[in-house]
Amino acid sequence: MSGPLKNLKVIEMTGLGPCPLAGQLLADLGAEVIVIDRNSAAADPTDINRRNKRSIALNLKSAQGLKIAKQLIATADILIEGFRPGVMEKLGLSPEILHKQNQGLIYGRMTGWGQTGPLAQTAGHDINYLSITGALNAIGKDKQAPIPPLNLVADYGGGTMFLLFGVLSAVFERSQSSKGQVVDAAMVDGVPAMMGLIHSWFAQQSWTTQRESNLLDGAAPFYRCYETADEKFISVGPLEPHFFTELVKLSGLDEAEIATQYQQEKWPDKRETYQTIFKTKTREQWMQIFDSTDACVAPVLDFDEVETHPHNAERGNFIRVGGVLQAAPAPRFGRTATVTPKSPKAPGADGQNILRELGYQPDDIDTLKNDGAIT
């Protein structure tokens, strides 16, 4: 592996969602990421979150399996896990136990509700975590139910990204203190942390709690999507007056629109006018008109189209690994460049090699297999 995180060793406890993505992004940037799986299985080339990782399958309910896990974690810089609070403690892998053998370990804990609080032990998903932060209430059409923004905002925005931010910040702090620590990354903490601008506008009384009545929630006719003649869509977003002027001139809208751009009481009627205009041409025709301009118009592409868009293609934003379309590693580094990701390995595929690296001999490994410690 190469990349800015080369020589960083990460142990990932197998799971779903935010934690596997965090492990993938660390591996993309060169970290050695080893997943402790529950069971061996066949390789799945579509399991993108497993790319660039190694895996060992251990029975953590066996004494020997637990011992191996502890030995492996003792060699690591970072441990990440996404279980409910208390699960790792029941397994015998609490921060207190692991820090005794590896005082520099960064112990990253990823949950929706957090390690503490009245909801900490309850089940939940992205939509639930968004609900109590105020973010979900702000997304959707007026007088209709809020719309879940896929699972991007809580799981991966407030979750994965803040877990990464936390553990890498703790690695930096360790360079000064030589001590590890626990990072409690909760989606209900991360989502509000991303909402500083909205909170500012709300405090300034320039943002309301009513959906589709604010600048960035689809109310503004110059910041929303419009259907085109071929039943496709374009995104329109020229917030600044000089960009909006370009949109008006190129689209054929009445130039009187320029002076009234921010007159909010006129927005409902303007939305209907803009929809009528944008419905007169196909998506491709509009893109030919707006190509290389500052009108802030882009085609709304589906997953089958993104790979061949000229900008995506030139930058190599999407790649195929084993025939599977996926995102290229991000961000990009000028000096410590990353490499093309490798196809996901099978769960448990690296078990024997990892055990050998820990000092186990072939006979020891056979015994562990027979005893069910490695699965």
Side-chain angles (χ1 to χ4, degrees):
M1 297 297 294
S2 65
L5 298 184
K6 184 179 180 181
N7 298 324
L8 188 73
K9 187 170 183 178
V10 180
I11 305 301
E12 174 191 325
M13 305 302 293
T14 191
L16 299 172
C19 205
L21 176 59
Q24 177 215 307
L25 296 177
L26 291 168
D28 283 349
L29 300 191
E32 179 189 5
V33 179
I34 298 175
V35 183
I36 296 181
D37 278 299
R38 296 183 182 91
N39 296 290
S40 296
D44 179 1
T46 69
D47 190 357
I48 295 168
N49 286 162
R50 277 191 176 271
R51 72 186 191 189
N52 291 335
K53 298 178 183 179
R54 304 170 75 199
S55 168
I56 183 171
L58 297 174
N59 177 6
L60 297 180
K61 293 182 179 180
S62 77
Q64 282 299 315
L66 182 61
K67 177 183 176 182
I68 294 166
K70 289 179 178 178
Q71 290 175 319
L72 192 54
I73 295 167
T75 69
D77 296 290
I78 296 171
L79 169 72
I80 56 176
E81 59 94 357
F83 302 132
R84 285 198 204 191
V87 171
M88 288 289 280
E89 282 79 358
K90 290 179 181 178
L91 290 172
L93 297 172
S94 69
E96 293 77 15
I97 290 173
L98 297 181
H99 278 142
K100 286 180 181 178
Q101 63 179 27
N102 181 356
Q103 68 171 2
L105 179 69
I106 308 303
Y107 195 117
R109 314 197 81 165
M110 177 75 262
T111 59
W113 304 118
Q115 296 298 309
T116 60
L119 295 175
Q121 290 296 331
T122 63
H125 282 294
D126 186 291
I127 191 171
N128 308 123
Y129 312 135
L130 283 183
S131 295
I132 72 164
T133 65
L136 186 61
N137 186 67
I139 302 171
K141 291 187 173 295
D142 183 30
K143 296 181 175 62
Q144 295 184 23
I147 297 175
L150 304 183
N151 67 326
L152 297 177
V153 178
D155 276 356
Y156 300 129
T160 295
M161 298 306 162
F162 279 82
L163 175 62
L164 292 173
F165 181 46
V167 296
L168 293 178
S169 295
V171 168
F172 174 76
E173 193 279 337
R174 186 182 63 187
S175 70
Q176 302 167 68
S177 69
S178 299
K179 295 180 181 180
Q181 61 181 303
V182 175
V183 177
D184 176 2
M187 298 173 208
V188 294
D189 298 346
V191 171
M194 296 190 294
M195 295 174 65
L197 178 62
I198 305 301
H199 289 158
S200 291
W201 285 344
F202 187 68
Q204 296 160 8
Q205 298 184 341
S206 58
W207 188 279
T208 76
T209 58
Q210 182 180 348
R211 283 185 291 283
E212 206 174 20
S213 64
N214 301 287
L215 180 63
L216 302 180
D217 66 359
F222 48 87
Y223 199 83
R224 60 188 286 128
C225 295
Y226 290 98
E227 187 176 4
T228 56
D230 52 348
E231 298 183 337
K232 296 182 180 180
F233 292 87
I234 56 173
S235 62
V236 176
L239 293 169
E240 298 82 357
H242 52 294
F243 296 154
F244 180 68
T245 297
E246 194 155 357
L247 173 80
V248 170
K249 291 179 177 179
L250 291 171
S251 66
L253 286 164
D254 190 326
E255 292 199 9
E257 292 288 317
I258 297 171
T260 61
Q261 178 184 3
Y262 276 89
Q263 292 181 11
Q264 192 165 348
E265 70 277 5
K266 296 183 178 181
W267 284 358
D269 291 337
K270 287 175 178 285
R271 292 197 295 264
E272 293 185 14
T273 300
Y274 290 21
Q275 179 61 79
T276 299
I277 289 288
F278 290 121
K279 190 73 171 172
T280 62
K281 292 181 174 61
T282 66
R283 187 182 73 181
E284 181 58 30
Q285 288 172 326
W286 282 120
M287 294 323 302
Q288 289 175 2
I289 291 171
F290 292 117
D291 184 45
S292 300
T293 74
D294 285 338
C296 302
V297 178
V300 178
L301 304 178
D302 64 33
F303 295 142
D304 290 326
E305 299 174 300
V306 294
E307 184 180 17
T308 57
H309 184 276
H311 189 81
N312 291 336
E314 182 173 324
R315 286 185 62 81
N317 288 346
F318 294 90
I319 57 175
R320 289 186 180 268
V321 180
V324 178
L325 180 69
Q326 54 199 272
R332 303 165 193 229
F333 296 83
R335 184 170 53 80
T336 54
T338 57
V339 298
T340 301
K342 297 178 181 178
S343 191
K345 291 185 176 181
D350 304 286
Q352 294 194 40
N353 288 335
I354 291 170
L355 288 169
R356 282 195 288 268
E357 292 165 11
L358 290 174
Y360 286 85
Q361 300 302 311
D363 288 347
D364 301 326
I365 296 172
D366 289 339
T367 300
L368 291 169
K369 285 182 181 178
N370 293 332
D371 291 345
I374 54 176
T375 56

